[in-house]
């Protein structure tokens, strides 16, 4: 019996040895073939800049603007810069390499081509164009000359301080009002007006916004209203001091997520565009006080808008909203909420937490009822409910002691709760068939 047991143990050891050898052989094969790891094909230049620390004639860092579609990079360097000897700082996709290499001094007096090689061996070529910055006078003249049909009426022989729409302080151009001036283009020289704090080009037919607008980091107010833009560059997200951004009445289908970087922004105007969604990054604009997105085909809005703790006005009328996120109930400072002209069938109870709300407009929706918790809106002054499907009103509206205007026209209700009729209203707009309960 012991002989048989010993024989069985030997057979077991033999099978175990064969299994280990087979596993090792498989591992060796995977190692030799590189396993299943696929080499990356990413080959983009993600950052390109001339740092003051690497370039003696620079008084500040100069970022390049990267156009990933055309594979071009542009930068405008100080007028005193020696173009034949500039040292850029470059970042590329993870695992990729670049030639010429990062931090290598290059002659940029003519176009330079950089080749980015991905891990998988594929390549992409980027062309870098370097220009010298213009003086403020020359930058303004470039805008004038790029638009031969303009109505600015500037006499280029005179000083810029005499030109209409140009505001100067301490010899620097700080404001530029070019609205309704028949401008067709905004040249890249706009980026050389680095001292601008206000820029308006509203009411023109400018086809596109140059990437160089992102260089205007002192801007506090930017008005691009009513031009017909179909897109705006992500570089707007570089305008770290911007407080007001007006993009109304264009043809925008989306806005770049980089607008979420504008932490000082207080007013954002987006009405009369073709926006179908808003980026969740707008929830990062913690200093925003006014957000106007009326007359767009928005069907939803992100719950992250509930993070806008300083928002006082939210205009979303004339969209296609069917629901609202409960997170809007966190907007504790909201005073005006306009939701007319949507497709709302219910009013979220969470919105009755808006204790500072003074105006609530819900006209032209499909509401069939209102929550009794509406009585929590104790500071409400104006309530517009016309043209809905309300068959009744909650009597709790009668507890809104500050209410002065109530519109209930165009609803299939006949009886108005006596508590509502007892309110000291300045105006009650109702149909003749809508009478107070006795």
């Amino acid at each position: 019996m012991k002989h048989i047991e010993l024989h069985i143990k030997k057979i077991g050891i033999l099978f175990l040895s064969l299994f280990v050898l087979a596993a090792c052989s498989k591992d060796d094969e995977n190692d030799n073939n590189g396993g299943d790891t696929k080499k990356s094909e990413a080959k983009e230049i993600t950052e390109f800049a001339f740092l003051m620390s690497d370039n003696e004639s620079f008084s500040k860092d100069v970022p390049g603007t990267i156009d990933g579609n055309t594979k071009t990079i542009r930068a405008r360097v100080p007028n005193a810069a020696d173009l034949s000897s500039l040292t850029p700082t470059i970042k590329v996709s993870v695992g990729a390499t670049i030639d010429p290499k990062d931090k290598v001094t290059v002659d940029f007096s003519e176009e330079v081509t950089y080749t980015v090689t991905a891990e998988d061996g594929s390549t992409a070529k980027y062309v870098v164009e370097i220009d010298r910055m213009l003086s403020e006078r020359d930058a303004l003249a470039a805008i004038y000359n790029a638009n031969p049909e303009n109505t600015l009426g500037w006499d280029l022989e005179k000083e810029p301080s005499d030109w209409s729409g140009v505001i100067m302080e301490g010899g620097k151009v700080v404001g530029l009002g070019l609205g309704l001036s028949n401008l067709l283009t905004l040249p890249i020289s706009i980026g050389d007006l680095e001292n601008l704090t206000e820029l308006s080009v509203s009411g023109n037919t400018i086809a596109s916004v140059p990437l160089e607008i992102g260089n205007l980091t002192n801007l506090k107010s930017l008005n691009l209203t009513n031009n017909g833009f179909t897109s705006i560059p992500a570089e707007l997200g570089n305008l770290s001091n911007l407080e007001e951004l007006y993009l109304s009445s264009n043809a925008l289908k989306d806005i770049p997520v980089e607008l979420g970087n504008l932490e000082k922004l207080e007013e954002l105007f987006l009405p009369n565009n073709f926006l179908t969604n808003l980026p969740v990054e707008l929830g990062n604009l913690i200093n925003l006080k006014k957000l106007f997105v009326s007359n767009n085909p928005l069907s939803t809005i992100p719950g992250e808008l509930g993070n806008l703790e300083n928002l006082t006005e939210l205009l979303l009328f004339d969209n296609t909203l069917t629901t609202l996120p409960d997170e809007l109930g966190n907007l504790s400072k909201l005073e005006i909420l306009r939701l007319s002209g949507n497709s709302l069938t219910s009013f979220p109870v969470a919105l009755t937490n808006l204790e500072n709300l003074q105006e609530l407009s819900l006209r032209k929706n499909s509401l069939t009822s209102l929550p009794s918790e509406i009585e929590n809106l104790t500071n409400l002054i104006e309530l517009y409910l016309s043209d809905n499907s309300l068959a009744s009103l909650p009597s709790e509206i009668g507890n809104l002691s500050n209410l002065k205007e109530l519109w209930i026209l165009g609803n299939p209700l006949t009886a108005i709760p006596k508590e509502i009729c007892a309110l000291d209203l300045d105006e009650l707009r109702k149909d003749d068939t809508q009478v107070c309960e006795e």
Side-chain angles (χ1 to χ4, degrees):
M1 180 65 72
K2 291 183 178 179
H3 176 73
I4 294 174
E5 291 177 355
L6 180 61
H7 182 67
I8 292 173
K9 288 182 179 179
K10 287 181 178 180
I11 292 174
I13 293 172
L14 177 61
F15 274 112
L16 180 60
S17 300
L18 290 173
F19 177 81
V20 172
L21 287 172
C24 291
S25 177
K26 185 68 174 177
D27 289 342
D28 289 342
E29 183 179 344
N30 285 339
D31 290 342
N32 291 335
N33 292 334
D36 295 328
T37 303
K38 182 180 179 181
K39 292 186 177 180
S40 174
E41 60 181 15
K43 44 186 177 294
E44 297 179 350
I45 294 180
T46 57
E47 292 184 30
F48 188 100
F50 295 102
L51 302 183
M52 180 176 60
S53 57
D54 298 327
N55 298 274
E56 292 184 357
S57 60
F58 287 35
S59 59
K60 66 173 187 176
D61 296 342
V62 176
T65 55
I66 304 171
D67 189 330
N69 294 323
T70 62
K71 296 292 190 292
T72 56
I73 301 173
R74 293 200 305 259
R76 296 173 73 80
V77 300
N79 199 40
D82 180 4
L83 299 188
S84 66
S85 181
L86 296 179
T87 305
T89 295
I90 310 169
K91 292 184 179 179
V92 297
S93 303
V94 175
T97 60
I98 188 167
D99 183 42
K101 296 183 181 300
D102 175 35
K103 296 285 189 180
V104 170
T105 301
V106 177
D107 182 355
F108 284 98
S109 55
E110 295 182 355
E111 288 184 356
V112 175
T113 298
Y114 279 83
T115 301
V116 185
T117 304
E119 283 183 333
D120 67 358
S122 58
T123 61
K125 295 183 181 296
Y126 284 76
V127 175
V128 181
E129 301 174 1
I130 305 299
D131 296 317
R132 296 182 190 276
M133 292 179 62
L134 300 178
S135 67
E136 290 189 332
R137 182 191 183 100
D138 288 342
L140 291 171
I143 296 172
Y144 185 88
N145 291 326
N147 294 277
E149 303 299 323
N150 75 75
T151 58
L152 291 168
W154 293 352
D155 183 347
L156 300 186
E157 298 298 321
K158 294 184 177 180
E159 292 300 312
S161 56
D162 294 327
W163 300 349
S164 64
V166 178
I167 301 173
M168 303 190 70
E169 291 181 5
K172 303 292 185 181
V173 179
V174 297
L176 196 55
L178 305 179
L180 299 171
S181 299
N182 201 32
L183 302 184
L184 301 179
T185 185
L186 197 60
I188 62 175
S189 63
I190 189 69
D192 296 342
L193 299 171
E194 296 181 327
N195 295 295
L196 279 180
T197 59
E198 297 183 23
L199 172 62
S200 174
V201 293
S202 62
N204 289 287
T205 53
I206 298 171
S208 62
V209 183
L211 306 182
E212 286 74 11
I213 202 166
N215 297 339
L216 305 179
T217 54
N218 288 306
L219 269 186
K220 293 185 177 180
S221 179
L222 176 59
N223 190 341
L224 300 172
T225 298
N226 194 18
N227 275 277
F229 300 127
T230 57
S231 65
I232 52 173
E235 282 74 11
L236 284 187
N238 297 337
L239 305 179
S240 56
N241 287 297
L242 201 63
E243 297 176 0
E244 303 169 354
L245 178 56
Y246 304 98
L247 296 168
S248 309
S249 302
N250 283 291
L252 300 175
K253 294 182 179 179
D254 53 45
I255 55 176
V257 298
E258 287 80 4
L259 291 192
N261 298 334
L262 305 177
E263 293 185 357
K264 293 186 179 181
L265 200 65
E266 296 183 3
E267 299 183 7
L268 177 56
F269 287 67
L270 296 165
N272 305 315
N273 280 286
F274 299 102
L275 300 174
T276 57
N277 61 76
L278 297 176
V280 298
E281 287 79 4
L282 291 188
N284 298 332
L285 305 178
I286 57 174
N287 287 301
L288 200 65
K289 296 179 180 178
K290 296 181 180 182
L291 176 58
F292 294 4
V293 204
S294 53
N295 198 20
N296 279 276
L298 287 176
S299 58
T300 61
I301 55 173
E304 285 77 4
L305 294 187
N307 298 333
L308 304 178
E309 57 188 32
N310 287 298
L311 201 66
T312 60
E313 296 184 36
L314 177 57
L315 274 54
L316 293 166
F317 60 86
D318 292 339
N319 280 280
T320 60
L321 299 172
T322 57
T323 60
L324 298 171
D326 287 342
E327 289 86 350
L328 293 188
N330 298 330
L331 302 176
S332 59
K333 294 184 180 180
L334 198 65
E335 297 177 356
I336 298 176
L337 177 58
R338 297 179 183 170
L339 296 163
S340 299
N342 283 284
S343 301
L344 299 171
T345 57
S346 63
F347 186 71
V349 174
L351 297 192
T352 61
N353 295 330
L354 304 176
E355 295 184 358
N356 283 303
L357 201 63
Q358 298 177 22
E359 178 186 332
L360 174 58
S361 181
L362 292 164
R363 297 174 56 247
K364 296 183 179 179
N365 278 281
S366 301
L367 298 175
T368 58
S369 64
L370 292 174
S372 59
E373 290 86 351
I374 197 169
E375 67 179 350
N376 296 334
L377 303 178
T378 53
N379 284 298
L380 203 61
I381 298 173
E382 301 172 32
L383 177 57
Y384 302 101
L385 301 171
S386 301
D387 301 315
N388 278 282
S389 300
L390 297 169
S392 63
L393 296 175
S395 61
E396 287 80 4
I397 290 178
N399 296 328
L400 301 176
S401 58
N402 288 304
L403 197 66
K404 294 301 179 184
E405 287 196 30
L406 176 61
W407 291 35
I408 54 175
L409 295 157
N411 283 284
L413 58 87
T414 55
I416 305 172
K418 58 185 179 182
E419 292 87 353
I420 295 177
C421 293
L423 286 169
D424 183 20
L425 296 174
D426 291 338
E427 186 168 17
L428 173 60
R429 297 290 297 273
K430 64 183 183 64
D431 296 331
D432 292 339
T433 56
Q434 297 168 343
V435 297
C436 293
E437 294 177 345
E438 296 181 0

